[in-house]
Amino acid sequence: MKISVILEKKSRVSVDVPNGQANQLFKELATIAINGGCDTSRQLRIPDIKINQDFKQKFAEISHEVGRAISEIKPVVKEFEEKAEQIQGKKHLIMIKCESCGKVATPTMYMEDGELIHKEHNLVCMNCSSELPQFENIKYAKYTCPNCNTRAGFYVANGLNEVRCKDCDSPIDLVWHDKKKVFLSANLIEGDRE
Protein backbone atom coordinates (compact mmCIF):
# COMPACT_ATOMS: atom_id res chain seq x y z
CA MET A 1 0.00 0.00 0.00
CA LYS A 2 1.32 3.46 -0.84
CA ILE A 3 1.64 6.23 1.79
CA SER A 4 2.16 9.76 0.48
CA VAL A 5 3.23 12.87 2.37
CA ILE A 6 2.48 16.13 0.57
CA LEU A 7 3.65 19.63 1.47
CA GLU A 8 1.23 21.86 -0.48
CA LYS A 9 2.54 22.06 -4.04
CA LYS A 10 6.19 22.17 -2.97
CA SER A 11 7.08 18.54 -2.46
CA ARG A 12 5.67 15.03 -2.28
CA VAL A 13 7.05 11.72 -1.06
CA SER A 14 5.39 8.34 -1.63
CA VAL A 15 6.48 5.07 -0.02
CA ASP A 16 5.19 1.52 -0.50
CA VAL A 17 4.39 0.06 2.93
CA PRO A 18 2.88 -3.31 3.91
CA ASN A 19 -0.90 -3.02 4.53
CA GLY A 20 -0.99 -3.49 8.31
CA GLN A 21 1.88 -1.05 8.89
CA ALA A 22 0.38 1.46 6.46
CA ASN A 23 -2.93 1.46 8.32
CA GLN A 24 -1.19 1.91 11.68
CA LEU A 25 1.00 4.76 10.35
CA PHE A 26 -2.02 6.44 8.74
CA LYS A 27 -4.02 6.32 12.00
CA GLU A 28 -1.12 7.82 13.94
CA LEU A 29 -0.51 10.65 11.44
CA ALA A 30 -4.23 11.37 10.98
CA THR A 31 -4.75 11.61 14.75
CA ILE A 32 -1.86 14.06 15.08
CA ALA A 33 -3.12 16.13 12.13
CA ILE A 34 -6.72 16.21 13.44
CA ASN A 35 -5.49 17.34 16.85
CA GLY A 36 -3.61 20.21 15.20
CA GLY A 37 -0.20 18.62 15.59
CA CYS A 38 0.13 20.09 19.07
CA ASP A 39 -0.40 17.02 21.25
CA THR A 40 3.16 16.80 22.57
CA SER A 41 2.25 14.23 25.22
CA ARG A 42 1.48 11.73 22.50
CA GLN A 43 4.47 9.80 21.19
CA LEU A 44 4.35 9.00 17.48
CA ARG A 45 4.69 5.26 17.06
CA ILE A 46 6.09 4.73 13.60
CA PRO A 47 6.11 1.07 12.65
CA ASP A 48 9.42 -0.44 11.71
CA ILE A 49 9.15 -0.01 7.95
CA LYS A 50 11.90 -1.44 5.88
CA ILE A 51 12.91 1.23 3.38
CA ASN A 52 15.76 0.46 1.08
CA GLN A 53 18.86 2.65 1.24
CA ASP A 54 18.35 3.94 -2.32
CA PHE A 55 15.05 5.51 -1.29
CA LYS A 56 16.56 7.12 1.82
CA GLN A 57 19.40 8.59 -0.25
CA LYS A 58 17.01 9.77 -2.99
CA PHE A 59 14.74 11.38 -0.37
CA ALA A 60 17.71 13.21 1.16
CA GLU A 61 18.80 14.46 -2.28
CA ILE A 62 15.28 15.63 -3.17
CA SER A 63 14.88 17.39 0.19
CA HIS A 64 18.20 19.20 -0.33
CA GLU A 65 17.27 20.19 -3.92
CA VAL A 66 13.81 21.45 -2.88
CA GLY A 67 15.37 23.57 -0.13
CA ARG A 68 17.96 24.98 -2.52
CA ALA A 69 15.38 25.63 -5.25
CA ILE A 70 13.11 27.50 -2.84
CA SER A 71 15.98 29.71 -1.67
CA GLU A 72 16.89 30.46 -5.31
CA ILE A 73 13.27 31.27 -6.24
CA LYS A 74 12.66 33.76 -3.41
CA PRO A 75 14.65 36.65 -5.01
CA VAL A 76 12.93 36.05 -8.36
CA VAL A 77 9.48 36.06 -6.72
CA LYS A 78 10.34 39.25 -4.84
CA GLU A 79 11.48 40.94 -8.07
CA PHE A 80 8.28 39.83 -9.83
CA GLU A 81 6.13 41.17 -6.98
CA GLU A 82 7.96 44.51 -7.12
CA LYS A 83 7.39 44.74 -10.89
CA ALA A 84 3.72 43.80 -10.46
CA GLU A 85 3.30 46.68 -8.00
CA GLN A 86 4.69 49.08 -10.63
CA ILE A 87 2.11 48.04 -13.24
CA GLN A 88 -0.39 50.79 -13.83
CA GLY A 89 -3.91 49.96 -14.85
CA LYS A 90 -6.50 47.54 -13.64
CA LYS A 91 -7.19 43.85 -14.28
CA HIS A 92 -10.13 43.16 -16.57
CA LEU A 93 -11.74 40.03 -17.92
CA ILE A 94 -11.24 39.72 -21.68
CA MET A 95 -13.05 37.12 -23.75
CA ILE A 96 -11.49 35.77 -26.93
CA LYS A 97 -12.30 32.77 -29.10
CA CYS A 98 -9.66 30.08 -29.51
CA GLU A 99 -8.92 29.62 -33.20
CA SER A 100 -8.19 25.91 -32.75
CA CYS A 101 -11.15 24.56 -30.77
CA GLY A 102 -13.67 27.44 -30.96
CA LYS A 103 -14.12 27.72 -27.17
CA VAL A 104 -14.15 31.14 -25.54
CA ALA A 105 -11.16 31.80 -23.27
CA THR A 106 -11.51 34.33 -20.43
CA PRO A 107 -8.11 35.53 -19.21
CA THR A 108 -7.76 38.57 -16.95
CA MET A 109 -5.29 41.14 -18.23
CA TYR A 110 -4.08 44.58 -17.15
CA MET A 111 -5.69 47.40 -19.10
CA GLU A 112 -5.59 51.17 -18.99
CA ASP A 113 -7.92 53.43 -20.97
CA GLY A 114 -9.31 50.47 -22.93
CA GLU A 115 -5.83 49.34 -24.06
CA LEU A 116 -3.83 46.31 -22.98
CA ILE A 117 -0.70 47.22 -21.07
CA HIS A 118 1.16 44.11 -22.25
CA LYS A 119 0.12 43.50 -25.83
CA GLU A 120 2.43 40.54 -26.40
CA HIS A 121 1.39 37.44 -24.54
CA ASN A 122 1.76 33.70 -24.62
CA LEU A 123 -1.60 32.61 -23.28
CA VAL A 124 -2.97 29.18 -24.05
CA CYS A 125 -6.51 27.85 -24.30
CA MET A 126 -7.52 25.93 -21.18
CA ASN A 127 -9.56 23.56 -23.37
CA CYS A 128 -7.06 22.49 -26.08
CA SER A 129 -3.75 24.05 -24.94
CA SER A 130 -3.30 25.91 -28.25
CA GLU A 131 -1.82 29.40 -28.13
CA LEU A 132 -4.49 32.11 -28.13
CA PRO A 133 -4.36 34.76 -30.86
CA GLN A 134 -3.11 38.27 -30.11
CA PHE A 135 -5.81 40.54 -28.72
CA GLU A 136 -7.01 43.05 -31.31
CA ASN A 137 -10.03 45.34 -31.57
CA ILE A 138 -10.82 45.19 -27.83
CA LYS A 139 -14.28 46.54 -26.98
CA TYR A 140 -16.28 46.76 -23.78
CA ALA A 141 -19.36 44.51 -23.57
CA LYS A 142 -22.14 43.86 -21.08
CA TYR A 143 -25.18 41.67 -20.88
CA THR A 144 -28.23 40.86 -18.85
CA CYS A 145 -29.08 37.21 -19.38
CA PRO A 146 -32.63 36.86 -20.71
CA ASN A 147 -33.03 33.52 -18.89
CA CYS A 148 -31.69 34.16 -15.38
CA ASN A 149 -31.20 37.98 -15.28
CA THR A 150 -27.51 37.69 -14.43
CA ARG A 151 -25.52 40.80 -15.33
CA ALA A 152 -21.90 40.96 -16.40
CA GLY A 153 -19.43 43.46 -17.82
CA PHE A 154 -16.20 42.50 -19.58
CA TYR A 155 -14.16 43.09 -22.73
CA VAL A 156 -14.28 41.13 -25.99
CA ALA A 157 -11.50 40.88 -28.56
CA ASN A 158 -11.20 40.00 -32.25
CA GLY A 159 -14.88 40.56 -33.06
CA LEU A 160 -16.31 38.03 -30.57
CA ASN A 161 -20.07 38.50 -30.64
CA GLU A 162 -21.48 35.49 -28.78
CA VAL A 163 -20.75 34.57 -25.17
CA ARG A 164 -22.34 32.30 -22.57
CA CYS A 165 -23.99 33.40 -19.34
CA LYS A 166 -21.66 32.92 -16.40
CA ASP A 167 -24.47 31.45 -14.27
CA CYS A 168 -26.84 29.44 -16.51
CA ASP A 169 -24.55 28.93 -19.55
CA SER A 170 -27.20 30.25 -22.00
CA PRO A 171 -25.83 31.62 -25.28
CA ILE A 172 -26.01 35.42 -25.50
CA ASP A 173 -25.63 37.37 -28.73
CA LEU A 174 -23.78 40.65 -28.44
CA VAL A 175 -24.72 43.54 -30.73
CA TRP A 176 -22.62 46.67 -31.27
CA HIS A 177 -24.35 49.83 -29.98
CA ASP A 178 -22.85 52.62 -32.08
CA LYS A 179 -23.97 55.52 -29.86
CA LYS A 180 -22.61 54.01 -26.65
CA LYS A 181 -19.58 52.40 -28.35
CA VAL A 182 -20.16 49.14 -26.50
CA PHE A 183 -21.36 45.60 -27.23
CA LEU A 184 -24.71 44.87 -25.53
CA SER A 185 -26.92 41.82 -25.27
CA ALA A 186 -29.91 42.08 -27.61
CA ASN A 187 -32.37 42.52 -24.70
CA LEU A 188 -30.43 45.58 -23.45
CA ILE A 189 -30.60 47.20 -26.89
CA GLU A 190 -34.35 46.52 -27.12
CA GLY A 191 -34.87 48.06 -23.66
CA ASP A 192 -32.78 51.06 -24.69
CA ARG A 193 -35.11 51.88 -27.61
CA GLU A 194 -38.17 52.31 -25.40
Side-chain angles (χ1 to χ4, degrees), residues 73-84:
I73 289 173
K74 285 181 182 178
V76 174
V77 170
K78 185 177 180 183
E79 180 182 339
F80 177 77
E81 288 172 348
E82 289 170 357
K83 285 182 180 178

Side-chain angles (χ1 to χ4, degrees), residues 66-75:
V66 167
R68 196 179 83 201
I70 289 172
S71 66
E72 289 174 1
I73 289 173
K74 285 181 182 178

Side-chain angles (χ1 to χ4, degrees), residues 23-175:
N23 290 332
Q24 180 185 353
L25 181 59
F26 176 79
K27 286 179 188 176
E28 292 287 329
L29 291 171
T31 303
I32 290 171
I34 290 169
N35 292 333
C38 53
D39 186 2
T40 55
S41 65
R42 185 175 171 85
Q43 183 69 28
L44 178 62
R45 291 174 303 213
I46 299 175
D48 186 22
I49 301 169
K50 299 217 186 296
I51 299 174
N52 64 28
Q53 191 60 34
D54 290 342
F55 175 80
K56 288 181 180 179
Q57 184 178 356
K58 189 70 174 168
F59 180 75
E61 290 171 7
I62 290 171
S63 298
H64 176 72
E65 288 299 317
V66 167
R68 196 179 83 201
I70 289 172
S71 66
E72 289 174 1
I73 289 173
K74 285 181 182 178
V76 174
V77 170
K78 185 177 180 183
E79 180 182 339
F80 177 77
E81 288 172 348
E82 289 170 357
K83 285 182 180 178
E85 289 175 5
Q86 295 171 0
I87 294 175
Q88 300 297 316
K90 187 176 174 187
K91 274 188 167 182
H92 290 281
L93 182 75
I94 302 177
M95 295 189 181
I96 187 167
K97 185 179 266 190
C98 174
E99 294 172 342
S100 297
C101 69
K103 296 280 185 178
V104 175
T106 56
T108 54
M109 311 232 2
Y110 283 99
M111 294 183 65
E112 188 171 7
D113 299 325
E115 293 287 325
L116 281 178
I117 292 177
H118 300 288
K119 294 185 191 272
E120 295 78 31
H121 62 78
N122 292 326
L123 299 177
V124 294
C125 175
M126 297 298 280
N127 185 54
C128 70
S129 299
S130 297
E131 189 170 328
L132 292 173
Q134 293 296 317
F135 293 95
E136 296 173 357
N137 197 20
I138 300 169
K139 304 286 184 194
Y140 187 70
K142 60 182 179 177
Y143 69 75
T144 299
C145 178
N147 295 328
C148 68
N149 289 326
T150 298
R151 295 174 181 217
F154 48 93
Y155 286 86
V156 292
N158 301 7
L160 180 66
N161 60 5
E162 182 182 82
V163 295
R164 295 201 160 270
C165 175
K166 66 179 181 177
D167 283 344
C168 72
D169 204 38
S170 298
I172 298 172
D173 289 326
L174 298 173
V175 180

